[in-house]
Amino acid sequence: MYSFEGDFRRKPVQSLRGASKKEQKESLLKRAQEERQKREGNRQRNLSACKIQAFFRGFTSRKKLSETLRADFDQKLQPVSKDNVVDIPVIITLTQRLAFFCRPGRDGQRLVSVCQQIIKQKEAYLQTLAHSNKNLQQLKHLLVLCVRYLNSIASTSSPVAVPMRMLELFTSSKTFVCIKGLSGQSETQLTRQILSYLVQRGYFECMYTLLTEKVPSSIEKTTIPPTPAASSIFELIMNPLSFAASATDKTFSHYVLQCVCRIFLCPRYTDQISQFLLPAMAYGKYPFPFVELIQGLISHTSQNGSSKRRHLEPELKPSPWLLAAVLTLADKYIGDLTSANSYAYMQLLQHLLPQLPKPKNIDMDDDSEEEDMAVDEDYGFASLSDLREECIRLLDSPGHLHCMFNCLQRNSDSQLLEAVSVICHTLLSQQRLSVHRLRLLYSLAFNTKVIRNLWYTCASVSTPTVTGSSTSLILMLARGLPMLKTDVNRIVPLLSVFCSMFSHSLLTLHDADFYGDNQEQSTSMPFRIDELVPMSRALRDACLGIIELAHPDAKRAVNDDYRLALQKTGIRNREMVGEEEEEETRQWAYLFKVISNLVRQLHTRNSRRPYCSFGHWLADHIQINADKPSQIYRAQNAVFVRRPFGVLRTLTKTNFEDDGPPLANRDVRNLVILTELPFVVSFFDRVKILQRLINADKEESQGDMSNFMMGPSINVMIRRNYIYEDAFDKLSPENEPNMKLKMRIQLINAAGLDEAGIDGGGIFREFLSELLKTGFDPNRGFFKYTVDRLLYPNPQAQVLVEDYTKHYFFLGRMLGKAIYENMLVELPFASFFLAKMLSRHSANLDIHHLQSMDPVMYKNLLFLKTYDGDVSDLGLDFTVVNSEFGETVLEELKAGGKNIAVTANNRIEYIHLMADYKINKQIRTHCTAFRQGMADVISIEWLQMFDPTELQVLISGATVPIDIDDLRRHTNYSGGYTEDHDVIKMFWNAVATFTDQQKRQLLKFVTSCSRPPLLGFKDLYPAFCIHNAGKDPERLPTASTCMNLLKLPEVEEEGMLRTKLLYAVESDSGFELS
């Protein structure tokens, strides 16, 4: 390898082959590189060989020295018997030797012998520590050897008493009190040094091993150590904790507590921990330093994202087991926390609670908000499920509720509200717990001060911008601007918890409390009406912003150079994959769900009794043009249906049953708006969209040839005097399963002869109009009037007809057909009945809708709610008496209701049971059958774009003044009449002088409906037509409503024409076909 001949320079290599050949540049460079690599490889091999040789020589030297020292150790210790003692200098020498060569598996007995000598001469040995730091260091190392020895024999039957006694003795500050003349150190500092040294070198890991090996696993839950060994181990665990809690050095204190959490409380519990250690910590004889634990864990979470973490800080990962331990300890100590410590505890729960195991198969559109009890099996199904239930039980305890409310009463700053909101958000969103299930949640929901503070915190929380100003997070959300993850984690819990809580409280608020009708300020309504107006606008815009974030018009492309530039400026571009993206999608889906639910509740109240100005709910920047082509109008695959918000992005990626292209982001966004927040689009735009959907469905169902009297159709013969009976029989689902087909009617007069005419659509419209008027006539018994003469199902219909549900299905089918065919029929329905038809789920309504059904009952129930006297004096019980059609029936509102008197304690239950019976229970089967009948013809989800008031307009038309100019522009003429004919000019002049009521009578006379079409007379089918009825001066104007045809005789004077026209339209005559 080296030359020993004295030549330190390499001689140049001379080639005797003559002149070198010319070499290419590439090959020369390649050869030179290979030579360099070869030389570098030789150098690395030489260096590695030197290191290996040095290590081996060191190892063999240390081994020889260890054997020499071990022999010397045995020689000095062998003459000493068990009862004799060794001189202190000898003990120190033996300790030095032992520290060098000790291996726990081989030298365990030697270690035990030295420890026995030290324990026997404890006081004398301690005096050697006063002036020598070297002896102190040897003691630390000896204790570490005890720890390692205990680790090695934990699973064996070897005795552990001596090394455990050694640890117990020298980890107690009381042991060092007898030392005189400590060199500038107190016994506390000495103990802290020893404990710090031991904890860093596996002290608590050793205790964990001993606990699992020396304490039996099959034990009952207890706070008393089951064995003497368990008692000693427990003391060795608790003594350092107690010392650390009393230490002034908070860094050391937090480090010890964090180590205990990392080793004992973070991993999955063993039986020894769950059945003995944790209960003994919480309820045993040793007080647990719970406050210091809170501070230690809080300091860890605050520094977790910092680059300046201390090198001594353990790697502590929050886990569900740590959360369970904290909640178990808090169950005893939470009542003793000060205000500041309670605040810190709320912040700790804010960080730990997201670790609670989540239920599996979370449905992002599960409106019942009930959790699925199947839990992720990462830690084991049964134990983790039990852990989850125990955590929720502890969190819902009165102590936690009291602690949280005390904090909120004394301190309502934004950070505390953010912590509380994260706790509640985790329970609501991740755990799928409904508000009414937990005392903690519904108590917050009914606390008006908390609700107000939550909203104002949502509105005020902001983020700094690059210009130094701040921007409201809810405003950024409303604009659909992307936010940093830290900002998302701030605004989402606040906003979702506020919406969930306020939405729950609204369910129990009667209109009188909501609108502030009472003389005194309601204690259950957090906001005034004037405060709800800007709130509803902000929440509406937040919903639209979330939709924009989820489905932007274009996806931003960020190249590598731009991403690098952003990183250099401190802006981090978030890229999510897999579970992180799924979790964020679920988070946004839940937020959208709760906000949209609250916005719909506020809009429903406004629809019943307006408190916002006209146009308040419309979003100016939302423009959905029904005339533009869009994939959402495809009828073949039912695109226009309500889907969970979180899965809508898949509509842009996949086809529908492999038929047709996927939806564009704009189409998906419009679909979400129309199914979740339709009221932000104007009513007339929604009517156009509905007609576009119906037309697309008609093209599929009826085909292109239906207008030419060809293709599939429904052809029935109906007796004019028995319209309802014949229609119910011949248009039943068994006879005509598809009611979407073109329908042609042949009417038969009273003489049994076919009426003249071929149905091109007019006769069908006349038939359907008469059928609906007959079917919904209260005299028939299927419907009845409210006090305001509005129609709703007759609860006693089953007394009239045995198979009454078939009649309601039929009537619903016919009304759906009228809407499907764009027919207006004057049927005034009660708003609560229409609300049931539009309900998204169970069709059960709350007490607020009772007012539209029975105002007297509603008023009496509200009187009962606020009655100050003795309620039992009213003589009420949980029954209701129905007496109609000569029958009196007593029905119980609950099991055994006739024996339960209504008192002040149960009157709220009575009020809600009575209201539920009136508007839900007694007409449930009627409404269900009617709704199914409507859905058989027209999709209920299409109609859900409208509220009950708008649906009534859709059925019967709007009560707006009739636009005669619009009618004139879309009128046809026949029989010799033209727009310039003198009679026609006189007709329009006469009509212009009519009152609005007379104009409505004219419209009803010709079309059978007194209200104009929703989108103007251009949509009237057949078009309004005026036909020349001849020159007979005695003839009055007549009409054929099936054709929307006015038969107007020629009259020379305008006054006479006006008189005859008014006489005809005001006579309320029936139909005439001539």
Side-chain angles (χ1 to χ4, degrees), residues 956-973:
S956 303
T959 55
V960 295
I962 296 176
D963 188 350
I964 295 300
D965 294 333
D966 182 51
L967 176 61
R968 187 171 184 175
R969 284 193 299 269
H970 298 94
T971 298
N972 296 331
Y973 305 97

Side-chain angles (χ1 to χ4, degrees), residues 215-450:
V215 179
S217 58
S218 56
I219 56 175
E220 296 292 333
K221 198 167 188 177
T222 178
T223 60
I224 301 173
T227 63
S231 178
S232 300
I233 296 170
F234 182 65
E235 289 184 357
L236 286 174
I237 295 173
M238 292 302 298
N239 285 339
L241 280 178
S242 301
F243 177 81
S246 61
T248 56
D249 186 354
K250 293 303 179 184
T251 302
F252 166 73
S253 174
H254 294 168
Y255 176 74
V256 172
L257 287 163
Q258 290 167 12
C259 284
V260 170
C261 291
R262 177 176 61 86
I263 295 164
F264 294 99
L265 305 182
C266 285
R268 181 182 178 183
Y269 296 158
T270 62
D271 291 339
Q272 293 86 349
I273 293 177
S274 61
Q275 299 298 100
F276 162 59
L277 180 63
L278 191 55
M281 282 181 170
Y283 305 103
K285 62 178 181 179
Y286 291 95
F288 189 88
F290 184 63
V291 173
E292 288 74 14
L293 176 67
I294 295 173
Q295 296 170 352
L297 293 177
I298 283 291
S299 68
H300 181 275
T301 55
S302 62
Q303 295 172 5
N304 201 20
S306 173
S307 60
K308 298 182 179 180
R309 290 183 58 183
R310 299 180 177 89
H311 70 279
L312 291 180
E313 187 175 340
E315 185 64 27
L316 182 62
K317 295 182 179 180
S319 71
W321 313 100
L322 178 59
L323 171 64
V326 170
L327 291 173
T328 301
L329 294 169
D331 192 47
K332 178 180 180 182
Y333 297 103
I334 195 171
D336 301 329
L337 296 180
T338 63
S339 178
N341 291 332
S342 298
Y343 184 15
Y345 179 63
M346 292 296 110
Q347 291 180 312
L348 178 59
L349 287 182
Q350 174 186 2
H351 294 287
L352 292 182
L353 201 59
Q355 301 299 322
L356 194 62
K358 302 179 182 66
K360 289 184 70 175
N361 303 323
I362 294 178
D363 182 4
M364 286 178 279
D365 196 49
D366 180 13
D367 290 88
S368 65
E369 295 187 356
E370 296 298 329
E371 73 277 17
D372 184 354
M373 293 310 299
V375 180
D376 197 353
E377 300 184 12
D378 289 346
Y379 296 94
F381 173 82
S383 59
L384 203 57
S385 177
D386 295 340
L387 181 80
R388 175 177 177 271
E389 291 298 318
E390 180 66 12
C391 288
I392 293 175
R393 184 191 68 81
L394 292 170
L395 193 62
D396 199 38
S397 64
H400 278 87
L401 182 63
H402 184 69
C403 175
M404 186 176 292
F405 270 90
N406 281 346
C407 285
L408 293 172
Q409 292 295 331
R410 299 173 185 173
N411 188 358
S412 58
D413 66 351
S414 61
Q415 290 186 350
L416 176 60
L417 282 172
E418 287 179 22
V420 172
S421 65
V422 168
I423 295 171
C424 297
H425 176 68
T426 303
L427 295 173
L428 291 167
S429 173
Q430 295 183 4
Q431 300 303 316
R432 309 302 291 168
L433 293 167
S434 55
V435 176
H436 70 274
R437 286 284 304 274
L438 291 184
R439 180 192 301 110
L440 179 68
L441 296 178
Y442 65 69
S443 297
L444 289 173
F446 293 119
N447 189 301
T448 56
K449 182 180 178 181
V450 172

Side-chain angles (χ1 to χ4, degrees), residues 74-336:
D74 292 341
Q75 185 179 2
K76 290 183 178 182
L77 195 62
Q78 190 174 7
V80 181
S81 63
K82 290 185 177 181
D83 298 330
N84 296 333
V85 295
V86 181
D87 294 338
I88 293 301
V90 177
I91 293 177
I92 293 176
T93 302
L94 293 176
T95 304
Q96 292 173 349
R97 301 287 192 272
L98 191 64
F100 183 82
F101 68 77
C102 183
R103 299 293 180 266
R106 181 178 178 185
D107 303 308
Q109 192 56 45
R110 296 181 178 91
L111 176 63
V112 171
S113 299
V114 171
C115 290
Q116 287 175 335
Q117 292 296 327
I118 292 176
I119 292 171
K120 289 178 182 180
Q121 304 178 72
K122 179 183 66 172
E123 290 78 6
Y125 180 77
L126 289 173
Q127 296 305 320
T128 64
L129 305 178
H131 304 288
S132 175
N133 288 330
K134 182 179 179 181
N135 293 341
L136 177 60
Q137 189 63 29
Q138 290 178 1
L139 174 62
K140 293 178 183 178
H141 196 75
L142 186 65
L143 294 175
V144 171
L145 292 176
C146 291
V147 169
R148 293 175 181 172
Y149 176 64
L150 287 172
N151 259 327
S152 66
I153 66 172
S155 58
T156 68
S157 58
S158 301
V160 297
V162 174
M164 286 182 65
R165 175 58 181 162
M166 191 75 177
L167 291 174
E168 180 183 355
L169 191 62
F170 289 101
T171 55
S172 173
S173 60
K174 296 179 181 178
T175 303
F176 303 102
V177 174
C178 62
I179 301 179
K180 299 178 180 179
L182 283 173
S183 56
Q185 298 187 69
S186 65
E187 61 273 9
T188 302
Q189 292 174 327
L190 201 61
T191 307
R192 184 183 62 80
Q193 288 183 26
I194 293 174
L195 280 176
S196 180
Y197 190 84
L198 288 175
V199 171
Q200 292 178 46
R201 286 159 179 80
Y203 174 81
F204 285 118
E205 287 86 345
C206 175
M207 295 301 107
Y208 180 86
T209 304
L210 289 174
L211 183 69
T212 55
E213 296 293 343
K214 297 299 182 183
V215 179
S217 58
S218 56
I219 56 175
E220 296 292 333
K221 198 167 188 177
T222 178
T223 60
I224 301 173
T227 63
S231 178
S232 300
I233 296 170
F234 182 65
E235 289 184 357
L236 286 174
I237 295 173
M238 292 302 298
N239 285 339
L241 280 178
S242 301
F243 177 81
S246 61
T248 56
D249 186 354
K250 293 303 179 184
T251 302
F252 166 73
S253 174
H254 294 168
Y255 176 74
V256 172
L257 287 163
Q258 290 167 12
C259 284
V260 170
C261 291
R262 177 176 61 86
I263 295 164
F264 294 99
L265 305 182
C266 285
R268 181 182 178 183
Y269 296 158
T270 62
D271 291 339
Q272 293 86 349
I273 293 177
S274 61
Q275 299 298 100
F276 162 59
L277 180 63
L278 191 55
M281 282 181 170
Y283 305 103
K285 62 178 181 179
Y286 291 95
F288 189 88
F290 184 63
V291 173
E292 288 74 14
L293 176 67
I294 295 173
Q295 296 170 352
L297 293 177
I298 283 291
S299 68
H300 181 275
T301 55
S302 62
Q303 295 172 5
N304 201 20
S306 173
S307 60
K308 298 182 179 180
R309 290 183 58 183
R310 299 180 177 89
H311 70 279
L312 291 180
E313 187 175 340
E315 185 64 27
L316 182 62
K317 295 182 179 180
S319 71
W321 313 100
L322 178 59
L323 171 64
V326 170
L327 291 173
T328 301
L329 294 169
D331 192 47
K332 178 180 180 182
Y333 297 103
I334 195 171
D336 301 329

Side-chain angles (χ1 to χ4, degrees), residues 619-906:
D620 298 333
H621 61 286
I622 301 297
Q623 299 293 333
I624 303 179
N625 194 339
D627 298 327
K628 290 184 178 180
S630 173
Q631 294 294 326
I632 66 175
Y633 303 122
R634 294 206 309 254
Q636 290 81 359
N637 296 299
V639 178
F640 195 98
V641 293
R642 182 174 178 266
R643 293 179 174 86
F645 180 80
V647 303
L648 280 167
R649 67 174 55 191
T650 60
L651 301 184
T652 63
K653 301 177 182 179
T654 58
N655 296 344
F656 294 92
E657 300 177 2
D658 298 325
D659 183 14
L663 296 184
N665 269 348
R666 180 180 295 275
D667 290 337
V668 176
R669 187 168 65 245
N670 292 343
L671 180 60
V672 177
I673 292 173
L674 292 174
T675 55
E676 299 289 348
L677 302 170
F679 42 81
V680 303
V681 181
S682 69
F683 172 69
F684 290 106
D685 286 338
R686 281 177 280 144
V687 172
K688 292 179 181 178
I689 292 169
L690 176 65
Q691 292 185 356
R692 178 79 179 272
L693 290 167
I694 291 175
N695 290 335
D697 193 52
K698 280 184 179 179
E699 289 179 5
E700 180 186 1
S701 301
Q702 300 180 1
D704 298 332
M705 304 302 294
S706 59
N707 293 326
F708 300 96
M709 310 292 289
M710 300 173 64
S713 62
I714 299 173
N715 298 278
V716 291
M717 299 181 66
I718 303 294
R719 294 174 295 176
R720 183 177 287 275
N721 293 343
Y722 300 93
I723 283 183
Y724 181 84
E725 291 78 5
D726 287 356
F728 177 75
D729 177 48
K730 296 182 179 182
L731 297 179
S732 63
E734 293 79 13
N735 294 327
E736 298 295 343
N738 187 5
M739 193 56 64
K740 295 181 181 181
L741 296 177
K742 194 79 172 179
M743 187 181 296
R744 297 186 178 92
I745 304 297
Q746 176 65 57
L747 292 176
I748 301 176
N749 60 23
L753 301 176
D754 294 349
E755 293 188 359
I758 299 175
D759 186 7
I763 298 177
F764 159 70
R765 300 175 75 85
E766 176 190 346
F767 154 75
L768 189 57
S769 177
E770 283 297 301
L771 172 64
L772 291 174
K773 290 180 182 178
T774 304
F776 287 95
D777 187 350
N779 293 323
R780 186 167 289 272
F782 296 123
F783 279 77
K784 63 184 302 185
Y785 281 131
T786 65
V787 177
D788 300 326
R789 295 189 62 77
L790 301 176
L791 293 170
Y792 74 99
N794 184 2
Q796 304 299 324
Q798 62 266 32
V799 180
L800 297 175
V801 182
E802 184 176 354
D803 53 349
Y804 68 99
T805 55
K806 293 183 178 180
H807 289 270
Y808 283 102
F809 182 88
F810 170 74
L811 289 173
R813 216 175 179 213
M814 293 299 104
L815 183 61
K817 182 66 173 176
I819 300 175
Y820 192 79
E821 298 294 342
N822 196 22
M823 271 187 60
L824 297 180
V825 288
E826 294 190 55
L827 296 172
F829 291 107
S831 61
F832 80 90
F833 173 67
L834 295 176
K836 280 180 168 292
M837 296 302 101
L838 298 176
S839 175
R840 293 178 180 267
H841 304 289
S842 62
N844 284 337
L845 303 181
D846 50 38
I847 189 175
H848 315 305
H849 293 272
L850 181 62
Q851 188 173 12
S852 66
M853 179 184 184
D854 192 341
V856 176
M857 171 70 74
Y858 180 75
K859 182 179 179 181
N860 291 339
L861 290 178
L862 290 186
F863 169 78
L864 177 62
K865 177 187 175 184
T866 58
Y867 183 61
D868 296 331
D870 189 352
V871 178
S872 58
D873 292 342
L874 300 177
L876 299 174
D877 55 23
F878 282 78
T879 60
V880 59
V881 177
N882 294 321
S883 62
E884 294 191 22
F885 300 108
E887 293 187 7
T888 300
V889 179
L890 180 71
E891 294 194 32
E892 294 182 333
L893 298 177
K894 59 186 293 189
K898 61 183 179 181
N899 299 321
I900 304 175
V902 178
T903 64
N905 295 328
N906 61 14

